[in-house]
């Protein structure tokens, strides 16, 4: 009887052990299924994210990478010339000047302070600009060629071949100073027309900017991949109905009349060709110098 009881106890223990093993096996399988399910969800999420980046945001990211990896310097075209009715007298013209930019990261550490001091000496600027970590910094715009030639000679003497850029630019010039000032108007520092004919026909006169594009590394330094040069397209010329000689006479006598009669509010004269209605002169007083429009005339 005792042996039978012992055997029954052993069998119960074995059954309990087998039951525990089965429960453990089921638990492990369930865990594995759960882990596989979680991994599948993560993989699907990653695949969706990769697809979203590749197809939905691909163009945007490519454009951002292009902007980060390229250095573009733009330069202005020659603005169209404005002539009087004869087509011989120039009322507004663009003269060739140059602009100076620097790439601080492309200037060696031993030359940085030397370059900064020379630029500050030539153009009366803060030499700290060259020490900046930006990829490109504008130093001076619309500089006379005599100044840039002096800079070229200095760079050559000091064997500095990278980091300082001298680009072609244009500056608006008005040969007759205040003649037809209210009609012609003037341009801002970026060659955009601000008043008069310069503003009214800005889209015709301004042309299209040119550019120089270089590939750069992560620090903004130039890569030896050459450069892409896009030529500027000059603006169109304009011929006005204004006759410079008649305009000059009208302005002269208008000024005399306003001064003699103490016309504190100034005055205006319009001269028209009765045969076709062309405006030959349109004078106003007081006036201003187109080459220095923000300084009052004596």
């Amino acid at each position: 009887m005792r042996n039978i009881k012992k055997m029954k106890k052993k069998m119960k223990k074995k059954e309990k052990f087998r039951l525990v093993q089965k429960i453990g096996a089921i638990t492990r399988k369930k865990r594995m299924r759960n882990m596989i399910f979680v991994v599948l969800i993560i993989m699907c999420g990653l695949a969706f994210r990769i697809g979203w980046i590749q197809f939905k945001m691909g163009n945007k990211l490519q454009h951002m990478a292009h902007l980060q990896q390229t250095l573009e310097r733009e330069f202005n075209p020659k603005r169209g010339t404005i002539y009087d009715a004869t087509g011989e007298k120039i009322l507004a013209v663009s003269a060739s000047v140059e602009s100076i930019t620097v790439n601080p990261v492309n200037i060696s550490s031993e030359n940085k302070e030397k370059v900064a001091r020379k630029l500050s000496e030539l153009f009366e600027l803060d030499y700290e600009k060259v020490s900046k970590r930006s990829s490109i910094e504008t130093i001076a715009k619309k500089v006379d060629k005599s100044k840039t030639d002096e800079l070229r000679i200095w760079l050559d003497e000091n064997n500095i071949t990278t980091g300082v850029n001298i680009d072609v630019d244009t500056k608006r010039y008005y040969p007759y100073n205040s003649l037809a000032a209210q009609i012609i108007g003037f341009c801002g520092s970026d060659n955009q027309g601000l008043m008069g004919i310069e503003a009214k026909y800005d889209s015709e006169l301004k042309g299209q900017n040119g550019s120089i594009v270089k590939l750069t590394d992560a620090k903004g330094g130039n890569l030896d991949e050459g450069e892409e040069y896009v030529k500027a397209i000059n603006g169109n010329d304009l011929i006005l109905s204004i006759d410079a000689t008649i305009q000059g006479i009208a302005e002269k006598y208008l000024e005399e009349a306003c001064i003699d009669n103490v016309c504190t509010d100034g005055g205006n004269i319009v001269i028209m060709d009765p045969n076709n209605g062309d405006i030959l002169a349109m004078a106003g007083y007081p006036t201003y110098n187109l080459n220095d429009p923000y300084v009052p005339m004596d």
Side-chain angles (χ1 to χ4, degrees), residues 104-273:
V105 294
N106 289 336
I107 301 174
S108 60
S109 56
E110 62 269 20
N111 287 330
K112 270 193 175 183
E113 186 173 352
K114 185 165 59 174
V115 170
R117 293 193 180 280
K118 184 61 179 179
L119 292 175
S120 63
E121 174 193 325
L122 277 175
F123 307 113
E124 299 178 358
L125 295 171
D126 183 3
Y127 72 87
E128 293 295 331
K129 277 191 172 185
V130 184
S131 302
K132 290 187 177 181
R133 296 180 63 85
S134 58
S135 58
I136 188 165
E137 185 73 26
T138 300
I139 296 299
K141 289 184 176 182
K142 305 184 187 307
V143 181
D144 290 336
K145 201 170 185 299
S146 59
K147 288 275 189 184
T148 54
D149 284 342
E150 185 179 346
L151 178 60
R152 284 188 179 93
I153 293 169
W154 183 85
L155 291 172
D156 187 57
E157 289 174 347
N158 289 271
N159 196 29
I160 298 173
T161 58
T162 60
V164 181
N165 312 303
I166 303 175
D167 296 321
V168 177
D169 201 352
T170 62
K171 182 179 180 180
R172 203 62 164 165
Y173 176 65
Y174 303 93
Y176 294 98
N177 294 316
S178 62
L179 185 74
Q182 287 90 346
I183 300 171
I184 298 171
F186 58 92
C187 294
S189 59
D190 58 353
N191 280 343
Q192 181 182 8
L194 298 180
M195 290 184 66
I197 294 293
E198 294 278 28
K200 177 68 175 177
Y201 293 97
D202 186 61
S203 59
E204 292 291 334
L205 290 164
K206 68 180 180 182
Q208 294 182 19
N209 286 353
S211 63
I212 298 172
V213 181
K214 290 183 177 181
L215 291 177
T216 62
D217 58 22
K219 294 182 179 179
N222 292 337
L223 297 176
D224 296 330
E225 299 289 340
E227 60 184 26
E228 181 184 349
Y229 176 81
V230 179
K231 187 178 179 181
I233 300 174
N234 294 335
N236 297 320
D237 297 338
L238 286 181
I239 298 178
L240 306 182
S241 64
I242 299 296
D243 187 300
T245 303
I246 299 174
Q247 179 73 24
I249 294 170
E251 289 184 4
K252 176 186 175 182
Y253 286 107
L254 174 62
E255 181 179 0
E256 290 178 0
C258 287
I259 293 172
D260 293 343
N261 294 280
V262 194
C263 298
T264 56
D265 292 333
N268 295 281
I269 290 178
V270 177
I271 299 175
M272 182 185 294
D273 186 340

Side-chain angles (χ1 to χ4, degrees), residues 26-71:
I26 293 170
T27 304
R28 285 195 297 273
K29 288 180 180 179
K30 189 175 181 180
R31 286 177 182 173
M32 288 187 66
R33 281 199 301 267
N34 290 340
M35 288 178 64
I36 292 170
F37 182 70
V38 170
V39 169
L40 284 174
I41 290 176
I42 293 172
M43 294 297 291
C44 289
L46 290 174
F48 177 78
R49 181 60 179 166
I50 292 170
W52 177 269
I53 293 172
Q54 179 69 31
F55 300 108
K56 186 68 177 179
M57 300 180 64
N59 291 335
K60 181 180 178 181
L61 293 174
Q62 186 178 13
H63 178 66
M64 291 171 66
H66 176 75
L67 292 177
Q68 190 178 36
Q69 296 166 4
T70 57
L71 179 66

